[in-house]
Amino acid sequence: MAMQTTSPVLLSIEVLIYVVLMLQVLLRRQIEEVEEYLLAYLGLSLILILLWLTRLTIHAMPMPPVEAIVSWTKVVPALAFGALTMAFVRQTRWAPAWLMGSVGLFALSVALQFGWPLEGPVVALIIRVLLWSLALGGATAIVLSTYRRQTSPLHRNRLHYWLVILVLLASAEGMSLGTGFVVQAASRVLRWAAAGLATYAILQVHAPDLRTLVRVALRFLALTGMLSLIFFGILTAVQRVGWPTITQRGSLLLTSLIALVMAILLPGLLNLSGDVLSRLIFGAAYDEQEVVRHYSQSVSNILDIDRLAAAAFDVISQVFNLQHGALVLIQSTGTGHSTMLPVRGHGNVSTQLLEVETFGTLMNRFRQGTPFAQYDIDMLPAYRRIPETERQWSNDMQMELFVPIRSQDEVIGLLALGPRRSGEPFRRNDLNLLSTLADQTVPALKNAQMVQDMRRLNLDISQLNTELESMNRTKTDFIGITSHELRTPLSQVSGYSEILAEELGANSPLSAFVDGLVKGTARLTEIVEVMLDVSRLDVGKLTLKRMSVDLHHVIQGAAEEWTQALQERGHTLIVEGLEALPTLEGDQERLQQVFSQLINNAIKYTPDGGLIEITGQGHAESSGLFVEVIVEDNGIGIDQDDQHRIFDKFYRTGDLMKHSTGKTKFKGAGPGLGLSLAKGIIDAHSGRVWVESRGHDEESCPGSSFHVLLPVRPPGYKPEMADTIVRRGSLGKWGSP
Ligand code: ADP
């Protein structure tokens, strides 16, 4: 029987090799991640080996005969191989059952050695055969089921190696049952070969493609076969003819003849094996330059990301016959993270967005620029610690290869390729071609991304616009409603306070309070009136009563309103050169309101004792005659940034809290509606208003000058036209309904 010829030393080495292999697998999977039962199994095997080694060295121990021990320790490799296979394919579903079974069998073996109740060695042999059958059968089932689920050729290649190991081991164990030195030796050689291959498969992550190796060997054999056939064919033919008789010269001639024929046929044969067999080995060939040309033509000038992905994978999936593929967009979010968004290119693709660290393991790998296989993420220790979300994402994508698209060291995208329908792996040539295609994608991808960004921005802007419009509407409604609502109670308060003042007379001790009441309500009424006007402007219902207007007269009227304030504040007002101005068509009252506002502002924003000058001049322009009036002061001036905004509703410069509410006091700002109303009125006259100032400075007082430009005859004006309702959006058109 086999056990009689087994050397204990050889067997112990064998057992040790299995344990070391198992340790390797466990370490590769990171010891802390491995399920407890695998660890328990490892411990059990080690104890078994220690026991056995102890028995080998200490012969005096009261133990069963060496043969029996040798026999039962032979179960160790079977048990270890089962566990090893489970760890190798990462399929530990059966591991607990396997462990329980092993423990049971181990206990049985131990019982048998002590002669209870059966004859030890024979039963031990049965157990061994059983166990090996179970181990090899189980391992084959596990490997095949994993193989079926696996689409990646790289993973499948790894399993190919394990299938070869299974065949080797099955043969070895089968042979070990036989007798005779040769059979035993052959069994041992096969077992060592299996162990060696297992070590290689475990340690070598990128083992050469086994199918390719087999095909190359086949090609070699086919070529050799064809050449031998030719050789022997000629030789036999020549011998049949009987010429030349085999002299030295004759045989020299014959071999030269054969060599000549072979030399003539060889290129053809090489071509045949090259064409036919290469096609078998490497799949359909492609013309690299043609592919690149076709690809760059297809992707150029596409500005839409979806169309770009489809066009790119139209070419790529044709060349490689892919199951599916996607263009992954990578964009930095600016917070140390980047988003990866797959866009479907071909077949079914998960288009889930992933956020990764910009300088995390995955992105750093992409940054290297070379193609990167999903297999590497699964297998290489460097990627063991990538976050679970990233691992899940790449698993869901079911891709085989990622080819980074880089622009100036920055990864802007990936070509993500699914497995090929042929099940072939991507070879070095393919990777080179794909890198070139990725480079060709850069300009198109950048353009498409830019367009996408712009679209998004447009969307944001239009959303913002809608919000602003709604806010503006609310503001308009607010002014309209409050001013209307305030008017009635205000007129009551104002009426009653005036009656009260009259009744009390000037000598009453309360007259100062009542006086304050009257002034306060008057100011309030003015503000409400302005608010009402502004709301009329907003809803396009400010009516202009047009007539011939003498601006000199209008401005004098406006100035007279402020005589007292000018005196109080010690300002000098000079009005010059207005008499010569032509009369214009406009609303006298509204224009007086405009200039009154400008004079009021000049009074307010100029320190006491200031100078206010109003000048005017006529302009003849191609579009007609214009009048320009300038209201200039030597006050605090206006910042460049504020100059166009002061005409907005409610816009006031400086510290709002410091504004006083007085109407003519220094810096006594109002609600910020005066200039907005003035501009509305001037616009309604098809005129223009703007301000010029060197800036705001309360020390040096650079002053401001407000320019009002009014057309003498507004465009489209016809004298017989009635009062015009000024509508928003058509303010510039005089006479529009
Ligand atoms: P307000 O009712 O606050 O005076 P306006 O619409 O009349 O509102 O003016 C808006 C803002 O423009 C004022 O708050 C003020 O800061 C600035 N401003 C207007 N006129 C002058 C001026 N002549 N000199 C300096 N600042 C001015």
Side-chain angles (χ1 to χ4, degrees):
M1 287 302 284
M3 68 195 77
Q4 263 90 36
T5 53
T6 307
S7 144
V9 179
L10 276 183
L11 194 63
S12 70
I13 294 173
E14 214 163 90
V15 169
L16 267 176
I17 284 177
Y18 276 109
V19 173
V20 169
L21 278 181
M22 193 156 64
L23 260 175
Q24 245 310 311
V25 180
L26 293 176
L27 285 175
R28 260 182 190 267
R29 282 204 63 194
Q30 284 182 308
I31 219 91
E32 71 261 34
E33 273 178 22
V34 170
E35 293 73 4
E36 293 91 2
Y37 38 80
L38 274 180
L39 277 179
Y41 189 82
L42 182 73
L44 179 78
S45 309
L46 281 174
I47 292 170
L48 201 73
I49 286 156
L50 281 177
L51 249 173
W52 185 59
L53 288 178
T54 322
R55 178 64 190 87
L56 271 188
T57 41
I58 312 167
H59 288 275
M61 274 176 81
M63 282 274 182
V66 173
E67 289 77 19
I69 298 171
V70 165
S71 156
W72 67 252
T73 43
K74 275 195 166 182
V75 303
V76 176
L79 298 181
F81 183 73
L84 194 65
T85 305
M86 283 186 258
F88 182 79
V89 300
R90 301 174 176 198
Q91 255 284 7
T92 45
R93 206 153 28 110
W94 295 102
W98 183 248
L99 179 65
M100 301 288 271
S102 313
V103 171
L105 281 169
F106 174 58
L108 190 67
S109 319
V110 173
L112 287 173
Q113 287 161 50
F114 290 96
W116 177 89
L118 294 162
E119 188 55 37
V122 177
V123 181
L125 179 68
I126 295 170
I127 290 172
R128 206 184 103 202
V129 171
L130 259 177
L131 210 69
W132 265 113
S133 314
L134 210 72
L136 292 173
T140 313
I142 290 175
V143 172
L144 285 180
S145 82
T146 315
Y147 190 87
R148 240 173 278 125
R149 265 181 290 111
Q150 198 52 264
T151 49
S152 152
L154 296 175
H155 278 291
R156 282 191 157 190
N157 183 44
R158 214 169 149 257
L159 298 175
H160 286 155
Y161 277 88
W162 211 254
L163 284 171
V164 173
I165 292 163
L166 278 169
V167 172
L168 287 176
L169 269 182
S171 324
E173 291 310 315
M175 280 183 177
S176 77
L177 296 175
T179 46
F181 176 75
V182 179
V183 178
Q184 285 299 314
S187 145
R188 177 129 290 124
V189 168
L190 285 179
R191 202 178 288 137
W192 286 110
L197 202 58
T199 317
Y200 179 73
I202 290 169
L203 297 181
Q204 189 67 26
V205 176
H206 291 118
D209 189 44
L210 207 57
R211 283 207 301 183
T212 310
L213 285 184
V214 171
R215 288 178 196 167
V216 170
L218 280 180
R219 179 186 169 182
F220 176 75
L221 282 179
L223 203 63
T224 316
M226 285 189 281
L227 287 176
S228 327
L229 220 71
I230 295 167
F231 186 82
F232 287 111
I234 297 177
L235 210 63
T236 326
V238 168
Q239 271 175 353
R240 283 264 165 99
V241 174
W243 178 90
T245 38
I246 305 304
T247 59
Q248 205 181 5
R249 197 166 341 123
S251 60
L252 197 70
L253 215 74
L254 183 62
T255 35
S256 307
L257 184 75
I258 294 175
L260 186 72
V261 173
M262 293 224 279
I264 294 170
L265 290 180
L266 193 64
L269 287 178
L270 274 177
N271 261 352
L272 184 76
S273 68
D275 266 16
V276 180
L277 294 172
S278 290
R279 217 167 260 265
L280 270 176
I281 295 166
F282 301 113
Y286 49 77
D287 176 350
E288 194 170 321
Q289 276 179 356
E290 180 54 30
V291 173
V292 174
R293 199 183 55 78
H294 182 38
Y295 183 84
S296 53
Q297 264 176 2
S298 303
V299 299
S300 64
N301 296 329
I302 295 184
L303 292 177
D304 181 90
I305 290 277
D306 294 305
R307 281 185 49 223
L308 178 66
F313 277 90
D314 207 28
V315 180
I316 297 176
S317 59
Q318 240 177 50
V319 173
F320 295 106
N321 195 10
L322 299 182
Q323 289 183 11
H324 51 258
L327 177 69
V328 181
L329 309 183
I330 301 185
Q331 265 176 324
S332 161
T333 58
T335 52
H337 287 85
S338 297
T339 54
M340 311 225 294
L341 176 70
V343 178
R344 201 189 82 91
H346 171 75
N348 274 343
V349 175
S350 149
T351 51
Q352 211 186 328
L353 182 112
L354 173 78
E355 200 173 271
V356 291
E357 279 175 35
T358 305
F359 292 96
T361 316
L362 217 51
M363 280 298 283
N364 281 343
R365 175 59 188 82
F366 292 146
R367 216 166 274 120
Q368 286 176 18
T370 47
F372 177 45
Q374 169 68 38
Y375 178 79
D376 288 347
I377 302 183
D378 297 339
M379 299 300 298
L380 293 182
Y383 303 100
R384 218 174 261 159
R385 297 210 178 274
I386 64 168
E388 201 41 47
T389 45
E390 294 177 20
R391 188 177 295 283
Q392 192 57 46
W393 180 84
S394 71
N395 280 344
D396 289 348
M397 294 267 287
Q398 297 200 338
M399 292 297 174
E400 174 77 15
L401 192 72
F402 297 100
V403 189
I405 304 172
R406 275 196 323 170
S407 155
Q408 292 155 354
D409 288 346
E410 191 197 344
V411 191
I412 56 171
L414 303 171
L415 293 175
L417 284 78
R420 303 168 78 162
R421 286 188 199 284
S422 61
E424 294 292 326
F426 291 97
R427 292 168 213 289
R428 194 182 298 277
N429 284 355
D430 302 334
L431 301 188
N432 289 343
L433 172 67
L434 285 166
S435 293
T436 314
L437 297 188
D439 289 343
Q440 299 284 324
T441 321
V442 173
L445 181 60
K446 280 186 123 177
N447 286 344
Q449 255 173 358
M450 211 150 73
V451 169
Q452 204 185 32
D453 285 350
M454 263 157 60
R455 275 202 199 125
R456 211 173 291 145
L457 210 70
N458 257 346
L459 209 70
D460 288 352
I461 289 175
S462 74
Q463 265 170 4
L464 216 67
N465 254 345
T466 322
E467 276 169 34
L468 277 177
E469 263 171 30
S470 119
M471 270 164 66
N472 212 21
R473 242 192 326 273
T474 316
K475 207 155 84 176
T476 306
D477 291 349
F478 173 76
I479 305 172
I481 293 167
T482 38
S483 48
H484 268 104
E485 294 301 316
L486 284 177
R487 211 147 76 141
T488 320
L490 200 59
S491 64
Q492 282 173 339
V493 177
S494 142
Y496 289 133
S497 51
E498 268 164 30
I499 295 170
L500 204 61
E502 236 169 77
E503 289 290 314
L504 288 175
N507 299 330
S508 160
L510 290 176
S511 70
F513 300 112
V514 179
D515 201 32
L517 198 64
V518 172
K519 279 189 186 150
T521 40
R523 173 88 181 107
L524 208 55
T525 310
E526 270 173 37
I527 292 173
V528 169
E529 284 304 324
V530 173
M531 277 169 72
L532 262 176
D533 282 345
V534 169
S535 99
R536 279 190 198 114
L537 257 184
D538 276 339
V539 295
K541 288 213 167 145
L542 186 82
T543 316
L544 289 186
K545 296 190 196 97
R546 283 172 294 106
M547 57 186 74
S548 279
V549 179
D550 174 4
L551 268 190
H552 182 226
H553 179 71
V554 165
I555 289 166
Q556 263 188 335
E560 272 162 23
E561 290 176 37
W562 301 104
T563 320
Q564 197 188 341
L566 286 164
Q567 269 175 7
E568 278 170 12
R569 299 283 318 280
H571 290 319
T572 309
L573 174 69
I574 301 172
V575 181
E576 253 180 1
L578 299 186
E579 301 88 343
L581 290 181
T583 54
L584 52 82
E585 296 299 326
D587 186 323
Q588 181 163 324
E589 218 174 289
R590 289 293 181 194
L591 287 175
Q592 181 158 334
Q593 208 179 347
V594 169
F595 291 105
S596 168
Q597 181 63 42
L598 294 182
I599 297 169
N600 181 197
N601 282 355
I603 294 172
K604 282 197 292 187
Y605 301 108
T606 305
D608 290 356
L611 176 67
I612 302 165
E613 276 183 282
I614 305 181
T615 52
Q617 59 201 30
H619 287 295
E621 289 183 13
S622 57
S623 52
L625 261 185
F626 285 84
V627 173
E628 183 180 359
V629 178
I630 303 164
V631 180
E632 189 174 359
D633 60 52
N634 59 353
I636 56 177
I638 302 166
D639 245 7
Q640 204 73 31
D641 291 343
D642 289 326
Q643 286 181 14
H644 65 281
R645 299 178 65 187
I646 52 172
F647 297 99
D648 291 345
K649 267 183 293 197
F650 298 114
Y651 189 81
R652 309 186 317 184
T653 63
D655 186 351
L656 298 183
M657 304 313 288
K658 283 189 187 149
H659 281 295
S660 86
T661 49
K663 198 179 169 188
T664 56
K665 280 188 188 152
F666 181 45
K667 295 197 283 177
L673 290 174
L675 285 181
S676 136
L677 179 60
K679 182 176 180 324
I681 295 171
I682 293 164
D683 284 347
H685 283 85
S686 304
R688 224 152 54 77
V689 59
W690 71 96
V691 67
E692 287 172 8
S693 171
R694 277 182 285 117
H696 175 96
D697 190 336
E698 295 185 17
E699 294 296 314
S700 65
C701 285
S704 323
S705 49
F706 283 82
H707 297 243
V708 177
L709 189 72
L710 290 164
V712 171
R713 296 279 178 275
Y717 171 73
K718 290 192 190 91
E720 67 279 5
M721 274 185 161
D723 289 350
T724 313
I725 292 174
V726 181
R727 295 195 189 284
R728 248 193 311 184
S730 61
L731 285 176
K733 279 199 179 151
W734 186 279
S736 56

